[in-house]
Amino acid sequence: MSIARSLLEMIAQYAPANGRARVKVVRLRIGELAGVIPESLRFCFEVASEGTVAQGAELQIEHVPVMSRCTDCRCDFEVEQYAFICPNCDSPNVELISGNELDVIELEVEEEGCP
Amino acid sequence: MSVITIERKILEKNDEIARQNRARLAEHGILALNMVSSPGSGKTSLIERTLEHLNGKLRIAVIEGDVHTSLDAERIARYRVPVVQIVTQGGCHLDAHLVAEAMAKLDLAHLDLLIIENVGNLVCPANYDLGEAMKVVIISTTEGDDKPLKYPAMFRQAEVLVINKIDLLPYLNCRLDALKQHALQINPALKVFETSCTTGAGIPDWCAWLEAMTRRKSAVPEAPGHGG
Ligand SMILES: [Zn+2]
């Protein structure tokens, strides 16, 4: 719920203050490791956005897989089954490249009644 | 239809306050732990055992996060350490702002170790940096050996894993080796302790390590930065 609220605060900063503007689409980027369940975020957003400029907006979520880089052999690989082990050299010394994202990318806004 | 580009982290406000918390803690050379677990893992008991061992050796304070009650804070207060209760009113995690408010009620100049007991939940607390030096995950043997695979984000972000209730192993289906293997495949750098708050097994090891970490922190105040 508090993620939905933080998201709405950010939308309020960016969306036009014009009372006739409506946010139609919110694009998000969410990594697999962020532990966010899209359905529950959608539900929370629907509840929290009531009466705001983003009421009824669609959340479009781009999922980001967990990617790592081996610090020994420098190869990049997708982490499957949360096994943080280099498939090339078996090293456990890997750093995360992506998968933790919890970002707002952009809004699509419609100004109703404008020509 | 117009497109407005944002490209920002949803939780950037939290992260900024967390940075401020971290800087204040560093300024006073305080080691802060963010203790996370599912409900019933024995987190509060582990904190009580830790206070029994380290109170008097280190100057400790506790921030207690709870959804509705202050029962845990009352348990901790018996150990005569400063306790600040945060009731989240249903919120499933602590955030940096709540911790900043709680820290304002503590005398930071006279502290070595700050233990933050997060709300019992392994999902949402993973997203919220509080400004801690390290996350400590507590899981009990009763929760089964595949828990790390169900909550990989938390195990990836934690520095320490405490496996509690090892006295119950003979009666459970939990394979300790499998549990450790699952946790270490997600995070090979995890420091693992095995404890029982009932028998006291493993508590001295955990406390000795924690004391050493705390003294290292107070001796060398670090530049503010993200530790997690
Ligand atoms: Zn490699």
Side-chain angles (χ1 to χ4, degrees):
Chain A
M1 196 48 151
S2 65
I3 290 177
R5 281 203 205 98
S6 302
L7 176 55
L8 280 160
E9 275 174 36
M10 196 163 280
I11 291 171
Q13 272 181 50
Y14 283 87
N18 169 1
R20 306 179 76 158
R22 281 259 160 254
V23 177
K24 290 291 179 187
V25 178
V26 181
R27 289 208 178 81
L28 305 175
R29 189 186 294 128
I30 296 182
E32 199 188 325
L33 270 181
V36 169
I37 301 155
E39 284 64 44
S40 62
L41 180 60
R42 285 204 171 89
F43 174 76
C44 292
F45 184 79
E46 206 180 305
V47 175
S49 66
E50 236 171 79
T52 74
V53 69
Q55 182 172 339
E58 178 195 354
L59 294 190
Q60 287 183 1
I61 299 175
E62 175 198 338
H63 295 273
V64 185
V66 185
M67 296 288 297
S68 277
R69 175 168 300 149
C70 174
T71 54
D72 290 330
C73 77
R74 310 304 300 170
C75 80
D76 292 353
F77 61 97
E78 181 173 345
V79 176
E80 284 169 32
Q81 313 276 319
Y82 308 113
F84 287 84
I85 291 171
C86 175
N88 188 41
C89 75
D90 281 339
S91 165
N93 303 318
V94 301
E95 57 192 22
L96 200 66
I97 305 174
S98 73
N100 266 335
E101 293 77 1
L102 202 48
D103 304 333
V104 200
I105 309 307
E106 59 187 26
L107 308 178
E108 269 186 27
V109 179
E110 197 174 70
E111 306 222 10
E112 283 167 15
C114 287
Chain B
M1 194 81 87
S2 58
V3 171
I4 300 169
T5 304
I6 300 184
E7 284 284 354
R8 284 165 69 183
K9 288 184 185 303
I10 299 177
L11 298 180
E12 64 177 23
K13 206 192 231 173
N14 178 79
D15 293 349
E16 175 52 34
I17 300 171
R19 265 191 294 278
Q20 293 165 12
N21 290 350
R22 186 166 282 116
R24 293 192 65 207
L25 291 161
E27 191 186 311
H28 295 287
I30 300 169
L31 182 82
L33 305 182
N34 180 0
M35 313 273 278
V36 293
S37 77
S38 299
S41 64
K43 194 165 27 146
T44 310
S45 301
L46 179 68
I47 295 173
E48 289 181 281
R49 285 286 190 169
T50 305
L51 293 174
E52 271 168 28
H53 272 73
L54 294 181
N55 202 4
K57 291 183 182 175
L58 298 172
R59 299 166 300 174
I60 309 174
V62 179
I63 293 177
E64 270 293 331
D66 205 296
V67 182
H68 292 297
T69 72
S70 59
L71 293 175
D72 288 345
E74 287 159 22
R75 271 169 73 178
I76 299 300
R78 285 187 219 137
Y79 294 85
R80 298 171 181 277
V81 295
V83 186
V84 181
Q85 173 77 52
I86 301 175
V87 179
T88 60
Q89 310 287 3
C92 53
H93 57 87
L94 295 179
D95 63 34
H97 177 69
L98 289 170
V99 169
E101 285 183 339
M103 275 167 54
K105 295 178 186 160
L106 292 168
D107 177 12
L108 297 182
H110 297 97
L111 272 190
D112 303 310
L113 175 64
L114 176 62
I115 300 176
I116 304 168
E117 180 171 355
N118 215 315
V119 176
N121 173 0
L122 282 178
V123 183
C124 308
N127 289 318
Y128 290 83
D129 182 9
L130 306 180
E132 73 274 356
M134 58 177 92
K135 289 188 174 72
V136 178
V137 177
I138 298 110
I139 125 160
S140 73
T141 53
T142 55
E143 297 169 54
D145 45 46
D146 56 355
K147 200 96 187 195
L149 301 176
K150 291 180 184 160
Y151 302 96
M154 191 55 100
F155 283 83
R156 181 69 198 173
Q157 288 181 27
E159 277 77 10
V160 183
L161 166 63
V162 177
I163 304 173
N164 193 28
K165 304 191 188 177
I166 53 164
D167 54 305
L168 297 179
L169 276 170
Y171 317 105
L172 300 169
N173 253 336
C174 176
R175 297 160 303 161
L176 192 58
D177 286 349
L179 172 54
K180 280 192 274 193
Q181 189 204 320
H182 291 150
L184 291 171
Q185 94 175 37
I186 293 165
N187 186 353
L190 265 182
K191 174 90 183 150
V192 182
F193 293 94
E194 297 167 20
T195 63
S196 163
C197 292
T198 310
T199 66
I203 300 289
D205 283 353
W206 150 251
C207 287
W209 179 81
L210 186 55
E211 186 182 354
M213 292 301 287
T214 306
R215 294 204 186 283
R216 195 189 300 173
K217 183 89 179 180
S218 1
V220 192
E222 280 174 27
H226 195 291

